[in-house]
Amino acid sequence: MEWGRCTDRELTELEAIVGSENLSTGESALRLASRDESYYTPHIPPQVVVMPGSAEEISAIMKIANPRRIPVTARAAGTSIEGNPVPLFGGIVVDVQRFDKIVEIRPEDFLAVVEAGVGYKDLNKALGQHGLFFPPDPGASAMIGGMIANNASGVRTIKYGATKDYVLKLTVVLADGQIIEIGSLATKSSSGYDLARLFVGSEGTLGIVTQASLRLAGIPSHFSSAIATFPTLEAAAQAVFQIVRWGFSPAALEILTSELVHMLNRDRGLGLREEHTLFLEFQGASEMALEEELGPVQDLCHEAGALSFEPGLGIDERNKLWEARYEAYESIKHTHPGADPFVADVAVPISRYPEMLQYAARVIDDYGVAGYPFGHAGDGNLHVVFMGDAQDKEGGEKIMKANEAIGSRALDLEGTCTGEHGVGIGKRPFMEREHGASLELMRQIKKLLDPQGILNPGKIFL
Ligand SMILES: Cc1cc2nc3c(=O)[nH]c(=O)nc-3n(C[C@H](O)[C@H](O)[C@H](O)COP(=O)(O)OP(=O)(O)OC[C@H]3O[C@@H](n4cnc5c(N)ncnc54)[C@H](O)[C@@H]3O)c2cc1C
């Protein structure tokens, strides 16, 4: 069936809903709404960007789009790296930036009610006053709606979990315009199907989230960071495996290659040893509790062949280290001016992490591409940032093949084709193999909730 288009009639109707100041058909707005941080570009650009201000306005938009089969793609901060918010078949982009209110912080219940366009960094600033924080932390300036839709996670997921672990209740607008509330404010529930979790990670293909009640965590009173260096990536990966295997619970456990450490030294003046490196962080209720963990972890690193282990970094050094880690992606980009990044993102069971890492390093060599592995090692999550020219057919194909090889090996190792960035456009070819017959069930769920297929069409499924 053909996709519907927004004619003057639809544009007038949309304008009546959101107001002329919240609707744009200008070239630059459409261009911005057509992209995320990935390689991917739209097949057919969107026709209009709307910025509704309430669930009722989104509902009214759906009632225009659904019967006429006009695609509707939700957009939050646009920081995805798999093409998740890139509209493929034109239509309407629903930008949630006006959903920017922190509705309520309830410190006594460890929860906050926020609108979908709230930036998680802004939320954490507000929560800090109450000694609380929202742990999922993708680093980029993502909004809560986008984090829920991608089930984002980050450096502290090893201890705290991903976005799915923090969603209590959602307000969602469905494709037919129905506004539903799902979940409850209780931190646990056995009441029927867990529909809130169904929407987490659905990448805007099942409904548009307008408001979320989120579970929070207390900011721990004591932190300690450490840096361990290793002669080989395998030794570093072995240390990761041993630390997790022996039941230690770092709040972060990140792996960086010597090449990446070199870039961070260059860009951030860190003065680190330029070796393969683990950044570790521990959090606890007292100095003593931290020391009890750090001592044996240091031993495990040395047993794995560590060249150095520097524990007990002060708060300033710690902050500098994590800021630099968040900038790793930017440092890679600076190293290849004019080139486009393409990020592979896989996750495997922790015992297979050394093998996965080794394989990724070999793929980079075999395909002769510029690629930089690093990742949230403690979760078995590996990224490889490939740098190439998106317009260069031959180079681009090599990168795609290298990415395919890495995704495929992750599945061989009983892992997943995407640890945290979502399926978007890039991971669709892996879905059949990863999910087998259950992919059909996902298709049926999509059909049930969005029979016309208008919500972010072309994503998740090929
Ligand atoms: C430098 C860099 C580092 C990153 N590091 C990480 C990381 O460590 N961990 C990680 O998980 N991710 C990471 N990401 C990816 C990205 O930041 C996350 O996936 C983030 O959650 C996307 O949020 P966003 O607000 O930008 O959403 P967008 O990119 O705007 O949208 C994401 C998806 O959500 C849908 N959507 C948006 N709003 C809604 C809504 N209200 N209701 C329903 N669907 C909606 C969109 O259609 C799209 O499919 C990184 C990205 C960059 C550029």
Side-chain angles (χ1 to χ4, degrees):
M1 220 200 320
E2 291 272 297
W3 293 112
R5 286 181 59 76
C6 290
T7 62
D8 286 348
R9 176 180 148 211
E10 279 78 23
L11 292 178
T12 308
E13 288 174 0
L14 291 170
E15 193 174 305
I17 296 166
V18 296
S20 58
E21 67 284 15
N22 296 311
L23 175 146
S24 181
T25 52
E27 203 186 312
S28 59
L30 297 184
R31 201 175 329 113
L32 275 175
S34 322
R35 300 207 71 113
D36 59 1
E37 290 280 333
S38 71
Y39 245 49
Y40 303 106
T41 48
H43 299 186
I44 303 167
Q47 291 179 274
V48 59
V49 182
V50 288
M51 288 174 285
S54 68
E56 288 69 25
E57 286 184 9
I58 298 184
S59 167
I61 292 165
M62 297 295 201
K63 285 177 184 160
I64 292 172
N66 194 42
R68 301 169 207 178
R69 207 162 180 255
I70 300 170
V72 176
T73 305
R75 180 178 183 86
T79 65
S80 290
I81 29 194
E82 284 295 351
N84 322 48
V86 173
L88 291 181
F89 302 105
I92 304 166
V93 168
V94 172
D95 185 324
V96 297
Q97 64 176 279
R98 287 177 64 215
F99 287 81
D100 59 355
K101 281 170 218 63
I102 298 176
V103 179
E104 193 184 7
I105 296 175
R106 285 169 54 171
E108 67 285 8
D109 284 324
F110 289 82
L111 69 85
V113 182
V114 300
E115 292 187 335
V118 169
Y120 82 99
K121 291 182 182 171
D122 295 331
L123 174 61
N124 276 333
K125 245 183 239 156
L127 292 173
Q129 298 163 18
H130 304 277
L132 296 170
F133 77 118
F134 172 65
D137 181 3
S141 295
M143 294 174 181
I144 296 298
M147 290 177 68
I148 291 171
N150 280 357
N151 187 21
S153 52
V155 296
R156 295 192 173 77
T157 291
I158 180 173
K159 187 176 181 79
Y160 291 98
T163 302
K164 70 179 167 50
D165 302 305
Y166 291 86
V167 172
L168 294 169
K169 189 173 171 186
L170 295 176
T171 306
V172 183
V173 185
L174 299 180
D176 63 2
Q178 225 188 123
I179 302 172
I180 57 167
E181 300 224 332
I182 42 184
S184 84
L185 296 190
T187 51
K188 60 190 277 193
S189 166
S190 303
S191 177
Y193 301 138
D194 191 347
L195 292 184
R197 228 67 51 201
L198 178 62
F199 284 86
V200 179
S202 65
E203 300 184 24
T205 62
L206 300 180
I208 298 188
V209 175
T210 57
Q211 187 167 298
S213 303
L214 303 170
R215 209 160 70 80
L216 307 172
I219 298 174
S221 53
H222 290 79
F223 297 81
S224 182
S225 295
I227 303 173
T229 65
F230 296 84
T232 62
L233 270 181
E234 296 78 67
Q238 266 305 329
V240 170
F241 169 57
Q242 294 299 341
I243 292 167
V244 177
R245 179 187 160 208
W246 287 103
F248 293 100
S249 145
L253 181 44
E254 297 285 306
I255 196 162
L256 293 96
T257 61
S258 54
E259 222 174 348
L260 205 43
V261 175
H262 167 74
M263 290 179 199
L264 296 182
N265 277 344
R266 180 198 63 202
D267 294 347
R268 312 283 301 198
L270 291 184
L272 296 174
R273 284 177 70 137
E274 295 187 0
E275 310 280 0
H276 301 305
T277 297
L278 293 182
F279 285 176
L280 301 101
E281 181 166 298
F282 291 86
Q283 300 178 352
S286 68
E287 291 289 347
M288 213 165 75
L290 292 180
E291 272 163 30
E292 272 170 16
E293 282 211 275
L294 266 174
V297 165
Q298 180 164 5
D299 294 343
L300 287 175
C301 286
H302 282 306
E303 279 163 29
L307 301 167
S308 66
F309 188 94
E310 194 189 338
L313 303 180
I315 190 80
D316 289 343
E317 265 173 299
R318 165 199 178 256
N319 290 346
K320 209 166 139 188
L321 201 65
W322 289 112
E323 272 167 32
R325 163 60 187 83
Y326 285 128
E327 289 297 315
Y329 181 70
E330 290 304 319
S331 282
I332 294 170
K333 288 207 299 193
H334 292 161
T335 309
H336 296 268
D340 305 294
F342 182 97
V343 189
D345 159 49
V346 294
V348 294
I350 195 71
S351 67
R352 318 305 292 272
Y353 197 68
E355 205 178 332
M356 187 68 238
L357 192 55
Q358 227 171 340
Y359 181 77
R362 207 165 64 231
V363 164
I364 292 166
D365 279 349
D366 289 352
Y367 284 89
V369 287
Y372 303 91
F374 64 102
H376 311 308
D379 313 324
N381 189 187
L382 178 70
H383 300 317
V384 180
V385 179
F386 294 107
M387 296 301 298
D389 177 356
Q391 309 305 324
D392 166 25
K393 195 162 175 288
E394 201 185 320
E397 268 169 19
K398 269 194 202 168
I399 289 179
M400 292 300 168
K401 286 209 170 109
N403 179 50
E404 206 177 298
I406 288 171
S408 181
R409 178 52 65 101
L411 297 186
D412 292 343
L413 298 176
E414 301 174 277
T416 172
C417 68
T418 168
E420 57 184 19
H421 295 164
V423 180
I425 298 169
K427 291 295 168 64
R428 294 173 305 177
F430 294 101
M431 293 296 276
E432 188 86 49
R433 191 175 150 208
E434 180 164 341
H435 297 284
S438 62
L439 189 63
E440 184 48 35
L441 197 58
M442 288 192 207
R443 281 206 177 91
Q444 287 173 21
I445 291 169
K446 164 79 176 163
K447 202 152 192 169
L448 179 72
L449 288 167
D450 179 18
Q452 296 277 63
I454 61 163
L455 291 173
N456 204 1
K459 303 300 166 53
I460 299 189
F461 311 104
L462 265 179

